[in-house]
């Protein structure tokens, strides 16, 4: 059926009835103010008069605003009629009839229904988290006097993901209603829709509002409001009281009003409060448990305005656990993924709830470092050895140390004290740190490790411990054996006090160190920092040793300059010899394949006789003694005798006009000479060709060409053929001496691409020549044919 909206005229009419029936005459209003328009269907309403035995009331039957509906008179107060003047006498006649009717007993008499809500549309949001689309929303009317539910019911459905709903064409005789939503919803805890359904309610007065939200807060307050109104409290006061009592239970001190106006995704404190309480009521409960919890709350809260304290403590315990394990961050992430709006600062209300429930209060800057226990006797943490500490404006669980040493003053160095909470825990005061610290197991055994007993050694079962850096730690053998020893002479050897281990004293490091076998058997005293690099001949085996890395290393482990080459040659090889007529030096030779090779590096240095050698050859590290063992390091120009080649060219081109000055075969000049002569080698000998190096490396393979001794880290060769390549290193193009002990390379007679270069290749050939390398020059223990800058200084092996 269609009804007009009540408007101000309905209110005036109600006031007029009240005055005519003995109410305050000051509320009377002129008939002209009661209404100015008639409903378009008012005439049709009159046709209902007398339907289904409505009592024939002349006043009502002649007024356009009233009609008979199923035996009951109903009046639309917004409709007035000139044919039915609204007089106080006619109203009072009706009032008297109503009084008589209400005083009689027996069957129910016809009654007058004064309609107050006409054709109204109600909208709102159904939110626990938001209810799922399609969830049912229903509205039920409450009697204005008894506040019992009547039969007026309207329904709607949730229309979108925010939980929005709408109910249209609502006509009610009482403005008091319950609106409830039933369905599944998005859980803040999981981020997903629940598998079961929940029912939430909102108790509202529709007189002055058309928007009513349904949420956890409206549900918690709804029965309490109805109860208070049924006991005589007016609706507005009842609502205010019930809402205040709900907020008090959850420790909310902020001013939050009108629960039915709150939205989870608003930008005010009310939205944050709603979300916080919705989350705390949900917790990790399943649907059955949360329905049970809500029912339990309604039962407890309806008549008392209070809730069971043990139930509140469970919420506090859950909240503290979530807060202290970053669980609230996870919940926020879940809600933000819904993308339904701004997520308010709900976390602070959850934190404040458990703070207050535990009796902690706010964590302010002035309370920084305070430690307190949970004082809520219903909490699971009550009277347990759990404490909370105020840190950086938030309460968190205190560590054993923080709770045990709270409010302790400074102590004496090494003083021990039992903890405040854990009586089995003992702490020690460290004067150097200026603070208390946990006592270690070793300090429990041996006492405090403090400045006065640093270096002290103690034993527990089969282990030794030493006090150092104010902490007891496992002692090594040297700490046990040398306890109390004074300084010694550099390299001095001494047997330990408690074991058969020997030790040496290092004057630079100012301490005793474990001696190795060579330190004790070679009769050289200990190898120390001060002796690093020294070479000594042992009286025990007449062999040479070098002090390297605090250890005496023999020739089979390390390269040693300054000794004769006999120490490196293979004693199993029958070497030949050759004497360089130029300076009388004799060299060992060896035949490999069809070629005879020098088994030592060339050491010819007369730059007066061979001008190519001037400023182009060196001893390693510029130490003349090193040339006796490793020969000289030549540039390619010196090795090729570039000056002689230039002379030969000048003679060759004698009488011929040339475009450029005649040059030899030095750096930057493409020579093209593929023969091994002239060269720095003596007459009858020459520089090897690249092909000859390749043939040699194929014969030698792997380590067969390296000497038996002298390679660092024991990377020696087998020297099968007596070639005896020594790791004499090289001089780089910047003048640095490198790679001794690790590798060596020899010059060939050829440039890169000799005899066949063109264009840019010739530019490269002018600066690089072919070589044969042994050892780690290229990062591996191998031989290799490659090329190098002609400015490098490399040794020479002559061949014939």
């Amino acid at each position: 059926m269609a009804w007009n909206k009540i408007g101000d005229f309905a209110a005036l009419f109600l006031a007029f009835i009240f005055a005519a029936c003995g109410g305050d005459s000051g509320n009377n209003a002129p008939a002209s103010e009661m209404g100015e328009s008639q409903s378009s269907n008012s005439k049709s309403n009159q046709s209902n008069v007398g339907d289904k035995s409505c009592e024939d009331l002349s006043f009502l039957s002649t007024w356009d605003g009233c009609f008979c509906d199923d035996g009951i008179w109903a009046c639309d107060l917004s409709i007035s009629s000139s044919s039915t003047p609204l007089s106080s006498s006619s109203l009072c006649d009706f009032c008297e009839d109503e009084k008589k009717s209400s005083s009689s007993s027996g069957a129910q008499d016809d009654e007058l229904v004064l309609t107050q809500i006409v054709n109204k549309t109600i909208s709102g949001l159904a939110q626990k988290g938001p209810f799922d689309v399609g969830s049912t929303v229903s509205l039920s009317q409450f009697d204005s006097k008894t506040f019992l539910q009547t039969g007026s019911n309207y329904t709607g459905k949730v229309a979108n993901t925010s939980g929005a709903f709408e109910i249209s064409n609502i006509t009610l005789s009482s403005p008091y209603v319950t609106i409830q939503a039933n369905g599944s919803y998005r859980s803040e805890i999981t981020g997903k829709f629940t598998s079961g359904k929940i029912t939430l309610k909102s108790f509202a007065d529709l007189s002055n509002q058309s928007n009513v939200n349904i949420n956890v807060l409206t549900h918690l307050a709804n029965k309490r409001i109805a109860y208070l109104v049924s006991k005589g409290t007016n609706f507005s006061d009842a609502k205010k009281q019930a809402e205040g009592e709900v907020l008090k239970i959850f420790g909310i001190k902020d001013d939050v009003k009108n629960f039915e106006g709150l939205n989870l995704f608003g930008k005010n404190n009310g939205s944050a409060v709603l979300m916080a309480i919705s989350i705390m009521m949900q917790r990790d409960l399943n649907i059955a448990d949360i329905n049970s919890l809500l029912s339990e709350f309604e039962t407890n809260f309806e008549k008392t305005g209070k809730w069971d304290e043990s139930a509140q403590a469970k919420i506090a315990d859950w909240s503290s656990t979530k807060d202290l394990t970053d669980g609230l961050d996870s919940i926020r992430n879940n809600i933000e993924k819904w993308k339904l709006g701004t997520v308010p600062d709900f976390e602070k209300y959850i934190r404040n709830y458990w703070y207050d429930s535990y009796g902690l209060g706010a964590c302010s800057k002035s309370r920084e470092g305070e430690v307190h226990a949970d004082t809520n006797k219903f909490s699971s943490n009550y009277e347990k050895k759990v404490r909370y500490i105020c840190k950086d404006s938030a309460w968190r669980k205190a560590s054993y140390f923080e709770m045990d040493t709270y409010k302790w003053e400074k102590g004496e160095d090494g003083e021990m004290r039992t903890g405040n909470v854990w009586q089995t825990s003992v702490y020690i005061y460290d004067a150097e740190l200026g603070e208390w610290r946990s006592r270690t197991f070793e300090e429990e055994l041996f006492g405090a490790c403090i400045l006065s007993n640093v270096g002290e050694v103690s034993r527990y079962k089969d282990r030794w411990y030493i006090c150092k850096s104010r902490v007891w730690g496992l002692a090594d053998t040297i700490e046990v054996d040398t306890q109390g020893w004074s300084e010694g002479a550099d390299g001095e050897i001494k047997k330990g006090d408690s074991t058969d281990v020997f030790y040496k004293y290092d004057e630079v490091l100012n301490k005793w160190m474990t001696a190795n076998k060579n330190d004790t058997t070679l009769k050289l005293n200990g190898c120390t920092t001060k002796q690093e690099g020294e070479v000594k001949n042992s009286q025990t085996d007449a062999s040479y040793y070098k002090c390297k890395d605090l250890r005496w290393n023999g020739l089979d482990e390390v390269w040693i300059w300054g000794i004769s080459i006999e120490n490196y040659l293979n004693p199993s090889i029958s070497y030949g010899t050759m004497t360089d007529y130029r300076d009388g030096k004799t060299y060992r030779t060896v035949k490999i394949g069809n070629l005879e090779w020098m088994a030592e590096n060339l050491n010819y240095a007369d730059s007066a006789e061979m001008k190519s050698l001037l400023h182009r050859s060196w001893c390693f590290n510029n130490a003349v003694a090193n040339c006796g063992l490793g020969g000289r390091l030549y540039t390619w120009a010196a090795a090729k005798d570039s000056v002689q080649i230039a002379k030969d060219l000048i003679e060759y081109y004698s009488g011929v006009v040339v475009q450029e000055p005649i040059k030899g075969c030095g750096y930057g000049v493409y020579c093209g000479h593929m023969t091994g002569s002239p060269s720095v080698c003596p007459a009858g000998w020459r520089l090897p060709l690249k092909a000859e190096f390749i043939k040699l490396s194929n014969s030698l393979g792997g380590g067969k060409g390296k000497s038996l001794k002298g390679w660092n880290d024991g990377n020696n060769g087998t020297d099968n053929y007596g070639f005896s390549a020594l790791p004499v290193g090289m001089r780089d193009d910047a003048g640095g001496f490198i790679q001794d002990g690790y590798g060596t390379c020899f010059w060939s007679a050829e440039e890169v691409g000799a005899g066949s270069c063109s264009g840019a290749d010739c530019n490269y050939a002018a600066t690089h020549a072919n070589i044969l390398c042994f050892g780690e020059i290229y990062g591996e223990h191998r031989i290799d044919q490659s090329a190098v800058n002609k400015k490098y200084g490399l040794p020479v092996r002559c061949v014939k």
Side-chain angles (χ1 to χ4, degrees), residues 33 39 65 161 214 260 282 343 392 394 451 585 681 695 788:
E33 297 179 8
S39 169
T161 55
I214 309 168
E260 69 273 19
Q282 172 71 56
V343 180
D392 301 322
L451 190 62
K585 291 186 176 72
C681 294
K695 185 176 181 180
V788 76

Side-chain angles (χ1 to χ4, degrees), residues 592 594-597 674-677 685-700 723 747-750 771-772 785 797-800:
I592 303 174
N594 60 352
L595 294 175
E596 187 175 4
W597 294 83
M674 295 178 61
T675 63
S677 297
W685 295 78
R686 59 181 174 78
L687 289 178
L689 300 176
K690 177 181 178 181
E692 291 169 334
F693 269 158
I694 293 174
K695 185 176 181 180
L696 175 65
S697 66
N698 290 336
S699 298
L700 297 179
F723 188 78
W747 284 122
S748 78
E750 299 177 39
I771 57 175
L772 173 66
Q785 301 87 44
R797 287 288 182 98
C798 301
V799 67
K800 74 171 183 177

Side-chain angles (χ1 to χ4, degrees), residues 92 333 344 368 396 421 461 478 584 586 591 612 621 678:
C92 280
N333 289 336
E368 183 78 7
R396 64 166 175 79
V421 179
K461 294 184 178 180
I478 187 172
T586 298
K591 192 166 185 180
S612 297
N621 277 344

Side-chain angles (χ1 to χ4, degrees), residues 197-212:
K197 295 182 179 181
I198 193 175
T199 297
L200 293 183
K201 302 175 184 177
S202 183
F203 188 58
D205 178 356
L206 300 185
S207 297
N208 298 306
Q209 61 179 339
S210 298
N211 187 281
V212 179

